[in-house]
Amino acid sequence: MTKFTVNGRPVEVGDHPSLLAALREELDLTSAKDGCSPSGQCGCCTVLIDGKASVSCQISLEKVAGKSITTLEGFEPAERERFAAAFAASGALQCGFCTPGILVRVKALIDKKGSSLTRDEAARFLGAHLCRCTGYTKILDAVEVLARGEAPTAVLPGGLGTRGARYQGVELALGDRGYVDDIKVPGMLHGALRLADHARADVVKIDTSAALAVPGVEGVFTAADLPGDLRVGIIYTDWPVFIPEGGRTSYLGDVLAIVVADSRQTAREAAKLVEVSYRPLRPLTDAIAAVDDPENAVWELEGNVLSRSVYKRGDVDSLLASSAYSVHEVFQTQRVEHAFLEPESTLAVPGPDGTLKVYSGGQGVWDDRDQIAAVLGVPTEKIVVELVSNGGAFGGKEDMSNQGQTALAAWLLQRPVKCTLSREESLFIHPKRHPIRMEYWAGCDAEGMLTGLKARMIGDSGPYASVGMKVLERAAGHASGPYRLPAIDVEAIAVRTNNSVCGAFRGFGANQAQFAMEGVIERLAQQVGLDSWEMRYRNAVTPGVVWGPGQVMDEGSLGARQCLEAIKPAYDEATSLGKAVGLGFGLKNSGLGNGFVEIIRAVVRFSEQGDVEIRHCWTEMGQGVHTVAMQVAIEELGLDPCRVRVIVDTTRELGAGQTTGSRGTVMGAGAVADACRRALADGCRPGVDYEGEYRVDWTNSLDEGLENPIIHAVFSYAAQLVVIDRETNKIEKVVAVHDVGRAVNPMLCEGQIEGAVHMGLGYALSEDFPCDEEGRPVNMTLRSLGIIRAKDVPPIETILVEAPQPRAPYGIKGVGEIGLVPTAGAVARALQQLDGQWRSTLPMKMPASEGANAADE
Ligand code: FES
Ligand code: FES
């Protein structure tokens, strides 16, 4: 037993691998979060030890014997309130997973430095913390407020267009709004996964006896224990929940067994004892070679081409041949990890009535439910998935990670089981951003008007489908960026390999394609003799223009030129000052499009006291879908925000599908508005469920063969400017102009953009998740991913444009997806202005001498 003091109270704890584990598992103090234990690289677990801020996941209990520990729970109530209010009021948190740790660090800093704490100093000290959502700008704003000794109030926003704190922002800042791993139920056991040792190998034997013999282990389950389906998947059911004996691994995230024990530590230790014998095979790790490789990359799947997305309009070859200027270039992007700070966690609790309740932080509650039911071989009514707001996702939590295995263990043992992935397991398992090789041919006339574009793309999708085919389809659709083209010819192939699975990630293929397109535009502009801005303005889509696969752009496309017009003063100023200036321009759809009928519902209910509940089933993951729902209700009903409660209701089928691509914002707003209007028409009677609906049923699939298909219902647009100082080689600022259609909450919109620009700069300059020739990921820690730290983020100036989207509720277009679409192209051009080098491969790296914006190593 170890004795120390926590929040002024003497405690005595048993054996734990770290102080963090003792705080969370035994003392039930969960404000300190576990983002990467035991590596000490995210800062989420920061506490005060004798008044000094320290990560707690690397501190052994021996080291804290007799010491005084303070967690966020132990701050003075007034101080807790002030810190949380400052962060909520400044928009300094999104998913909130990083926030409690940052608050502890900030307290230590302010205790030491008081009002003399500068923004730069704070940014340096925040080097011990990662925030994947905010881009740090608003965090530093909040720190300045606190250092000045101010006591702001976290005022909730009103109707549409008002700034204000996010829904539950204060609870979130304090770490009081639980994530899945914060939940404990009586009798709960812990699960740990045994992952594959080879990316491609026949599994000869799985021996669980040594693991089963460990005291405290309650069960070890493998594919042999599955009562239902072996494979799951959102679109294709090709992803095995376990690889069985006699089966074959297809990447290093494959699961062979789940070990269940009375503690997490025991389960993890015992999982290492599951012995697996293999017959290793040659992994297929080169996507281009895999296309024609006679061997199948994936067990029991014939052929390595997952999908081929093709469209053609006009006679590209002859237009290219007769163009005044032309360019031919190959672009290559890299694989990137989401690095959401909350690793995946699932809790499954069997009920006395024969049901199973599964707490999931996934992005698609109904997909989770259906897949779990299939794995267990039970009707879907037996499974209730409770959607728990997660600590960031960015697309990486669309697929099931450990939900199937955890549900199985709880089902078979009839005991609650929680399984939380370690950071390493999380990196192995979930899908990444696709690396894509893109060969582009493009031409323009003497005035710089584009004549034709041909693009050939090959994306490494890893072994399982996930949504890889849709990502490459989206890359194909967005191949031409926001530009008018008389003729276009595109093919995009998703290839199965034995590298990490690739799937959804903010931008969904549009980022890659528009890095290439922006490179092409710049090269052509220089041949014509036009500047970056003029070339884009001339070619930007406008209403009536036929775009990409043939879609006739509507009035929403007015936003394209409006973005360019709004960025022009900053562009002209930076250019006239002789800076190295890069302009990036992009568009991104919101919603699924491509002929899918999307029907979304929400419920509004009044209490006798006049309070209002809004029920929907989207995942809140920091993007602010709850706040949007609240603001729409206020707009329609004229309520006091304090009277609104937003509930994720997964007891009834309100539709939704996956929470992706700004769907929650655009479509959720439509459904809540409709529910409110129905309520108003009926006198807002207490206790009545007013169900509203929003549907998008007017998009087309390319398969319909239409000349002018409506591929997407909504597009947002953005122009970004990257300015590099020629003397320091530093990015001195980024200007981000975004057309969001209608800014529901401008502060939250800015936060989305700042976070996306931070992610986009990392994508452009430093982030990478390569796999070696064995299919083994190389960068297996948060620090090695190349994420830009707080002190290296340049000032980001955000300008919102509002060109309403016809047929969208209130004209909303969404902002989350497009955030980093133009960034890499803008950085490439700024670097080219700096040193004359054209770059076509990501990440690009800053020029060697003063790579001040590259991430810390
Ligand atoms: S959990 Fe301790 S630093 Fe990440
Ligand atoms: S708010 Fe910082 S990681 Fe999400």
Side-chain angles (χ1 to χ4, degrees):
M1 300 296 273
T2 310
K3 293 183 183 178
F4 51 95
T5 304
V6 176
N7 300 332
R9 183 170 60 96
V11 297
E12 203 173 324
V13 298
D15 187 28
H16 293 279
S18 66
L19 171 60
L20 176 65
L23 292 171
R24 291 183 57 82
E25 303 301 323
E26 187 168 339
L27 300 173
D28 291 336
L29 293 167
T30 54
S31 68
K33 308 297 179 195
D34 185 348
C36 70
S37 70
S39 68
Q41 297 181 355
C42 73
C44 296
C45 64
T46 301
V47 298
L48 299 177
I49 302 177
D50 286 345
K52 230 179 130 208
S54 168
V55 293
S56 56
C57 68
Q58 286 200 306
I59 304 287
S60 67
L61 288 180
E62 266 170 26
K63 282 202 182 140
V64 292
K67 302 211 167 173
S68 172
I69 312 300
T70 309
T71 69
L72 200 45
E73 289 92 342
F75 282 27
E76 288 298 322
E79 195 168 44
R80 271 169 64 80
E81 207 174 293
R82 193 169 80 85
F83 272 61
F87 268 60
S90 306
L93 70 157
Q94 291 180 24
C95 79
F97 199 79
C98 68
T99 316
I102 291 178
L103 289 188
V104 172
R105 173 84 51 189
V106 171
K107 175 182 162 50
L109 266 176
I110 293 176
D111 283 352
K112 197 166 154 200
K113 303 225 161 211
S115 59
S116 70
L117 178 68
T118 65
R119 192 177 176 96
D120 285 352
E121 269 175 326
R124 274 204 304 282
F125 278 99
L126 285 179
H129 295 259
L130 281 175
C131 173
R132 193 57 159 163
C133 301
T134 64
Y136 301 101
T137 303
K138 290 190 176 356
I139 291 179
L140 293 169
D141 292 346
V143 174
E144 287 187 310
V145 166
L146 288 167
R148 287 196 298 268
E150 293 171 19
T153 312
V155 180
L156 289 170
L160 261 58
T162 57
R163 299 173 77 87
R166 70 176 45 246
Y167 182 75
Q168 293 182 325
V170 169
E171 297 93 312
L172 204 53
L174 293 171
D176 289 348
R177 204 221 53 205
Y179 302 89
V180 174
D181 192 51
D182 296 335
I183 305 172
K184 256 188 188 175
V185 296
M188 188 177 83
L189 300 169
H190 295 266
L193 303 180
R194 172 68 162 90
L195 300 186
D197 301 284
H198 301 276
R200 186 164 174 259
D202 288 331
V203 176
V204 179
K205 185 153 182 55
I206 303 172
D207 183 351
T208 60
S209 55
L212 267 169
V214 173
V217 169
E218 299 277 342
V220 181
F221 304 106
T222 66
D225 299 297
L226 277 172
D229 294 351
L230 176 67
R231 292 182 172 85
V232 294
I234 304 174
I235 299 175
Y236 297 162
T237 46
D238 65 352
W239 196 329
V241 179
F242 294 104
I243 305 297
E245 278 185 357
R248 180 178 289 179
T249 64
S250 299
Y251 85 127
L252 281 153
D254 275 327
V255 179
L256 295 149
I258 181 168
V259 176
V260 184
D262 55 5
S263 77
R264 180 173 298 168
Q265 199 183 354
T266 305
R268 285 188 176 165
E269 288 304 318
K272 293 180 198 155
L273 301 178
V274 174
E275 277 197 33
V276 186
S277 41
Y278 301 94
R279 199 175 305 113
L281 300 161
R282 173 181 65 94
L284 277 62
T285 55
D286 179 332
I288 294 166
V291 171
D292 298 316
D293 199 301
E295 292 193 35
N296 299 325
V298 186
W299 177 48
E300 292 190 335
L301 290 181
E302 199 54 47
N304 298 328
V305 173
L306 168 63
S307 68
R308 202 180 285 268
S309 303
V310 181
Y311 66 90
K312 193 171 177 184
R313 179 165 59 77
D315 185 355
V316 173
D317 289 335
S318 61
L319 280 169
L320 284 179
S322 60
S323 293
Y325 301 103
S326 63
V327 63
H328 172 211
E329 188 68 51
V330 176
F331 299 87
Q332 177 70 54
T333 64
Q334 78 280 43
R335 186 179 299 99
V336 179
E337 155 65 18
H338 300 72
F340 39 75
L341 286 192
E342 179 213 19
E344 299 88 333
S345 182
T346 302
L347 167 64
V349 184
D353 56 353
T355 60
L356 185 72
K357 184 160 187 175
V358 182
Y359 297 83
S360 169
Q363 290 181 244
V365 57
W366 307 113
D367 286 334
D368 285 0
R369 180 199 62 174
D370 295 348
Q371 292 175 88
I372 291 167
V375 166
L376 299 185
V378 299
T380 50
E381 309 85 76
K382 291 265 185 199
I383 309 297
V384 177
V385 176
E386 172 118 6
L387 195 52
V388 181
S389 299
N390 68 38
F394 312 110
K397 292 178 180 170
E398 288 188 18
D399 300 274
M400 295 228 290
S401 54
N402 61 358
Q403 288 95 330
Q405 298 88 352
T406 312
L408 175 77
W411 187 251
L412 295 178
L413 290 167
Q414 283 299 296
R415 300 266 307 269
V417 176
K418 182 161 76 181
C419 177
T420 301
L421 299 186
S422 68
R423 177 55 60 180
E424 192 169 278
E425 290 164 346
S426 171
L427 291 173
F428 271 128
I429 292 175
H430 69 252
K432 316 296 175 208
R433 189 187 296 291
H434 284 76
I436 306 183
R437 179 190 191 272
M438 299 167 290
E439 187 164 9
Y440 269 54
W441 297 259
C444 67
D445 65 19
E447 277 72 49
M449 298 306 295
L450 294 169
T451 51
L453 172 70
K454 183 168 162 180
R456 294 291 179 264
M457 307 183 186
I458 295 184
D460 180 346
S461 223
Y464 306 124
S466 178
V467 292
M469 56 290 207
K470 293 288 161 193
V471 173
L472 268 292
E473 179 186 81
R474 205 71 88 251
H478 287 67
S480 57
Y483 301 110
R484 59 176 75 207
L485 273 152
I488 186 165
D489 172 0
V490 180
E491 179 188 67
I493 301 172
V495 185
R496 294 188 193 264
T497 68
N498 299 112
N499 296 319
S500 303
V501 178
C502 288
F505 193 164
R506 190 184 215 171
F508 208 83
N511 302 1
Q512 293 93 324
Q514 291 180 77
F515 169 62
M517 189 64 202
E518 290 299 278
V520 160
I521 283 282
E522 279 302 334
R523 286 159 174 82
L524 287 173
Q526 292 211 350
Q527 291 184 48
V528 182
L530 288 177
D531 76 10
S532 302
W533 189 91
E534 185 61 35
M535 183 74 181
R536 284 168 177 79
Y537 198 77
R538 287 187 188 183
N539 285 287
V541 289
T542 51
V545 158
V546 177
W547 173 81
Q551 179 157 354
V552 179
M553 299 308 259
D554 60 23
E555 296 288 303
S557 64
L558 288 169
R561 280 190 163 173
Q562 287 178 19
C563 285
L564 288 172
E565 285 157 9
I567 212 163
K568 183 113 182 2
Y571 173 82
D572 286 345
E573 187 193 351
T575 306
S576 68
L577 290 171
K579 307 285 183 185
V581 178
L583 185 61
F585 190 32
L587 89 169
K588 176 70 181 63
N589 73 294
S590 294
L592 300 179
N594 287 293
F596 280 96
V597 174
E598 300 184 75
I599 303 172
I600 311 302
R601 285 181 280 273
V603 169
V604 169
R605 178 163 44 180
F606 294 79
S607 74
E608 295 286 352
Q609 294 71 36
D611 293 332
V612 175
E613 284 176 6
I614 304 165
R615 294 171 179 264
H616 66 73
C617 46
W618 302 101
T619 310
E620 172 60 70
M621 45 196 166
Q623 84 281 39
V625 68
H626 288 348
T627 316
V628 169
M630 178 180 75
Q631 290 192 248
V632 169
I634 295 168
E635 176 79 15
E636 294 295 328
L637 302 171
L639 294 162
D640 176 343
C642 299
R643 308 217 75 137
V644 182
R645 234 178 110 218
V646 184
I647 297 167
V648 179
D649 186 344
T650 49
T651 61
R652 52 183 123 186
E653 298 224 23
L654 295 172
Q658 294 279 334
T659 308
T660 69
S662 294
R663 296 180 71 235
T665 299
V666 176
M667 288 162 207
V672 174
D674 187 44
C676 291
R677 287 168 196 164
R678 285 169 195 260
L680 284 171
D682 191 48
C684 301
R685 288 183 292 131
V688 177
D689 281 353
Y690 294 105
E691 189 171 290
E693 181 182 290
Y694 181 69
R695 75 168 50 216
V696 176
D697 54 8
W698 62 85
T699 67
N700 306 115
S701 157
L702 287 183
D703 297 339
E704 293 173 50
L706 300 174
E707 189 182 343
N708 297 116
I710 300 172
I711 297 298
H712 296 295
V714 178
F715 287 103
S716 49
Y717 299 87
Q720 292 181 359
L721 187 71
V722 169
V723 181
I724 301 180
D725 184 285
R726 290 183 190 276
E727 283 176 16
T728 62
N729 285 2
K730 270 189 170 182
I731 295 181
E732 63 177 43
K733 79 167 170 180
V734 176
V735 182
V737 178
H738 281 250
D739 167 30
V740 300
R742 179 83 189 271
V744 177
N745 184 327
M747 183 170 77
L748 266 53
C749 284
E750 289 162 13
Q752 286 290 308
I753 294 165
E754 289 159 3
V757 168
H758 166 252
M759 203 179 253
L761 292 174
Y763 185 49
L765 292 168
S766 51
E767 291 191 33
D768 203 356
F769 193 77
C771 292
D772 67 15
E773 286 173 1
E774 298 300 312
R776 183 169 291 279
V778 175
N779 295 335
M780 286 301 291
T781 61
L782 283 177
R783 185 158 298 156
S784 61
L785 297 176
I787 297 168
I788 294 175
R789 297 271 168 171
K791 71 179 172 54
D792 296 317
V793 180
I796 300 164
E797 189 186 316
T798 303
I799 299 170
L800 298 178
V801 165
E802 296 182 297
Q805 176 64 48
R807 299 180 82 172
Y810 311 106
I812 296 170
K813 291 176 169 173
V815 65
E817 276 287 276
I818 192 171
L820 60 154
V821 167
T823 319
V827 173
R829 168 61 171 148
L831 288 174
Q832 194 266 336
Q833 280 220 336
L834 187 69
D835 64 9
Q837 304 288 314
W838 289 111
R839 291 163 174 84
S840 49
T841 300
L842 295 182
M844 295 179 282
K845 311 280 185 208
M846 294 295 284
S849 59
E850 300 178 63
N853 288 89
D856 284 350
E857 287 305 316

